Amino acid sequence: MQLEPKQGQPKALYGLGLTFTFERFAYYGGKPILVLFLAYAVAKGGLGISKSEATVIAANLGAFTYLAPIFGGIIADKWLGPRYCIMIGTVLMAAGWSLGYFATSAAWINALIIVVSIGTGFFKGNLNALVGELYEKEDQRKDMGYSIIYSFVNGGAFVGSLALGGMYITHGFRICYLLAAIFALMSGIVFLFTCKHLGDLGKRPNKYSVASSKADVKVDVNRPLTKREKNQVLVIFILALFSVFFWLFYNQSEASLLLYVDSYTKFNIGNFKVPATWTTTSFNGLLCVVLSPIMATIWFKLSKTRKNGDLTMTQKIALAYIFLGIGFLVMVGAEFVRGGVTTASLSMLWILMFTLFQTIGEMCFSPLGNSVVSKTAPPKYLALLMGVWSFATFLAQKGSGYIEGIIGQLGLMQVFIAIPSILFVGSLILFACNKKITELTE
């Protein structure tokens, strides 16, 4: 069914983007302060749990919200369809965040993590899949559409982390989690209003495909995959593997690099000391909002003016590797300038430069990963393979914590040199394999 003229983006795209904005406000508002809520003394409004236990518990939220979409994808593919899964997800996430308001022990927080993760599993991959369903398979607007969605996502992340990252100081943690629950519920309300622009998209499981404006065509779920479809699945797994390495190093901005920033840099505006969480989630989110339309325009113009059309996904991932590698080269320079001084004397400009290159790399990669899955995946496995893409990020989230241990053994400078070296080698491999990977999908 053709929902919109091809000259502009579908109206439903902006409703889906706003749905993501409210949900990301809740997620990135509640996630960064969770470890503080757990570790702060009861007298300060926290739960008084040891720091080591608090970091383990809090890390589970980030990891399992990337794992759960695999199961949400299976449910959407076989039984409910994306639309109903998204509705269920927003309700579950609202219920999960509200548990933070009542929390009196770690058991409450574990329950919060379980419910929010399950809700995210129903919500995230299926909403991304639904965005892809707004376009026909080879529609050139799709990459730009996903970049626009990414702008909405990071707008919510920026405002949520900024607002709740400061609110817990004046109003306490519990009010922050109640507010996160309200915004998750508002996400569901926005989605309900968006449904009128979706037509029949997302109502039925993904084993059915809307092939034309006249009829629904049933996909034979028992038919084995063709050679071309198997190649398409293989390409998704190859690119997902490279995704693991990208996010493994990218996530250091909230792990070893965050510790580095807290120990060795000055982040003062007048007499105000900027919270450490603002220098990661908030600033990165702001840059993503600014850069998303710029990057979307670049991809669109390349598709119109370049002889071979837009860059392939493989080439874009290679560029992401290069930009993230440059960011870590900036950190090599910062560590050289610091010269082993243990006081907080390093200029924040070094970190801002790192974050700039890190974010450009992210913009080459992250919003377009969902696009390539939606273009490449066999229809009956669409949401499941969206979940596989999320699983790659889950592996990176779980693995990123080990980098700090490697730094303890080898030293900061050695690790800061090793990471860009790995990234640059990875980019060369991707460029070299670009033609073969492209052929597998044709």
Side-chain angles (χ1 to χ4, degrees):
M1 181 179 68
Q2 185 68 40
L3 294 177
E4 297 289 332
K6 288 190 176 182
Q7 287 78 3
Q9 293 292 338
K11 289 182 180 179
L13 178 73
Y14 301 99
L16 296 178
L18 197 58
T19 300
F20 247 139
T21 297
F22 282 101
E23 184 272 335
R24 292 289 90 178
F25 180 103
Y27 183 79
Y28 282 105
K31 178 176 176 281
I33 63 173
L34 186 61
V35 69
L36 302 177
F37 185 29
L38 288 161
Y40 271 29
V42 174
K44 296 178 64 177
L47 299 179
I49 297 171
S50 69
K51 290 183 178 179
S52 58
E53 186 180 358
T55 54
V56 170
I57 294 173
N60 286 332
L61 179 61
F64 287 105
T65 51
Y66 281 102
L67 180 63
I70 292 179
F71 304 101
I74 293 173
I75 293 171
D77 280 340
K78 293 189 175 183
W79 296 295
L80 294 182
R83 186 181 298 194
Y84 300 109
C85 284
I86 292 167
M87 293 177 184
I88 292 170
T90 58
V91 173
L92 286 173
M93 288 185 292
W97 290 121
S98 68
L99 293 176
Y101 180 79
F102 301 101
T104 56
S105 67
W108 283 88
I109 300 302
N110 285 325
L112 179 155
I113 292 170
I114 291 170
V115 178
V116 170
S117 296
I118 294 172
T120 304
F122 276 101
F123 178 88
K124 191 175 181 182
N126 288 310
L127 188 56
N128 278 321
L130 197 54
V131 171
E133 289 298 302
L134 295 175
Y135 307 90
E136 295 178 359
K137 204 75 169 177
E138 304 300 329
D139 196 329
Q140 294 292 330
R141 300 175 300 163
K142 183 175 284 190
D143 282 355
M144 188 172 186
Y146 271 108
S147 290
I148 291 171
I149 286 291
Y150 208 61
S151 182
F152 278 100
V153 166
N154 284 285
F158 170 68
V159 176
S161 62
L162 195 68
L164 301 191
M167 185 177 291
Y168 79 88
I169 298 174
T170 57
H171 293 82
F173 293 102
R174 299 179 190 279
I175 295 298
C176 292
Y177 285 105
L178 182 61
L179 188 60
I182 292 171
F183 269 79
L185 196 59
M186 290 175 65
S187 173
I189 294 172
V190 171
F191 181 72
L192 283 175
F193 280 102
T194 303
C195 285
K196 67 181 181 180
H197 297 298
L198 291 173
D200 293 329
L201 293 181
K203 281 186 176 181
R204 307 180 70 186
N206 285 329
K207 62 184 179 181
Y208 299 97
S209 176
V210 179
S212 70
S213 60
K214 295 182 179 180
D216 289 343
V217 178
K218 185 175 180 179
V219 176
D220 183 2
V221 295
N222 296 316
R223 175 184 63 80
L225 296 178
T226 65
K227 181 179 179 181
R228 178 175 182 269
E229 289 173 329
K230 289 178 180 178
N231 287 339
Q232 291 171 332
V233 173
L234 176 63
V235 166
I236 291 172
F237 274 94
I238 291 172
L239 297 183
L241 176 63
F242 279 95
S243 172
V244 171
F245 287 98
F246 178 83
W247 294 113
L248 176 68
F249 299 133
Y250 176 95
N251 286 331
Q252 294 314 302
S253 62
E254 294 186 354
S256 57
L257 269 178
L258 183 59
L259 297 173
Y260 183 91
V261 169
D262 187 58
S263 299
Y264 302 130
T265 59
K266 291 181 178 179
F267 283 85
N268 295 326
I269 301 176
N271 294 324
F272 175 71
K273 180 174 174 60
V274 177
T277 54
W278 285 13
T279 66
T280 54
T281 308
S282 300
F283 186 57
N284 172 257
L286 176 62
L287 284 175
C288 284
V289 171
V290 173
L291 292 176
S292 284
I294 297 174
M295 298 298 289
T297 302
I298 290 173
W299 304 140
F300 183 75
K301 287 187 175 180
L302 280 175
S303 69
K304 296 297 183 182
T305 60
R306 192 166 172 265
K307 181 180 179 181
N308 296 324
D310 194 6
L311 298 179
T312 67
M313 184 60 192
T314 310
Q315 291 171 324
K316 290 177 181 178
I317 295 176
L319 286 177
Y321 268 51
I322 290 172
F323 281 113
L324 184 59
I326 293 172
F328 275 98
L329 286 182
V330 170
M331 295 310 303
V332 171
E335 182 63 6
F336 180 79
V337 169
R338 186 176 71 86
V341 177
T342 57
T343 57
S345 58
L346 194 65
S347 170
M348 73 181 279
L349 291 177
W350 289 99
I351 309 303
L352 294 180
M353 287 176 62
F354 167 83
T355 305
L356 175 62
F357 286 111
Q358 176 202 33
T359 307
I360 295 173
E362 178 185 1
M363 297 309 300
C364 289
F365 196 161
S366 188
L368 305 175
N370 294 318
S371 178
V372 77
V373 174
S374 69
K375 287 179 179 178
T376 307
K380 68 177 181 179
Y381 293 130
L382 174 60
L384 175 59
L385 289 170
M386 283 287 187
V388 168
W389 198 262
S390 293
F391 181 70
T393 310
F394 162 79
L395 292 177
Q397 288 270 359
K398 295 293 285 184
S400 62
Y402 294 103
I403 301 296
E404 181 63 26
I406 296 173
I407 288 175
Q409 294 179 2
L410 300 180
L412 274 167
M413 180 64 84
Q414 288 81 356
V415 173
F416 283 167
I417 292 174
I419 290 176
S421 299
I422 294 170
L423 289 168
F424 292 146
V425 170
S427 68
L428 291 175
I429 293 172
L430 284 164
F431 279 126
C433 296
N434 174 60
K435 183 177 180 181
K436 181 62 177 177
I437 291 175
T438 303
E439 288 175 351
L440 288 174
T441 61
E442 292 179 349

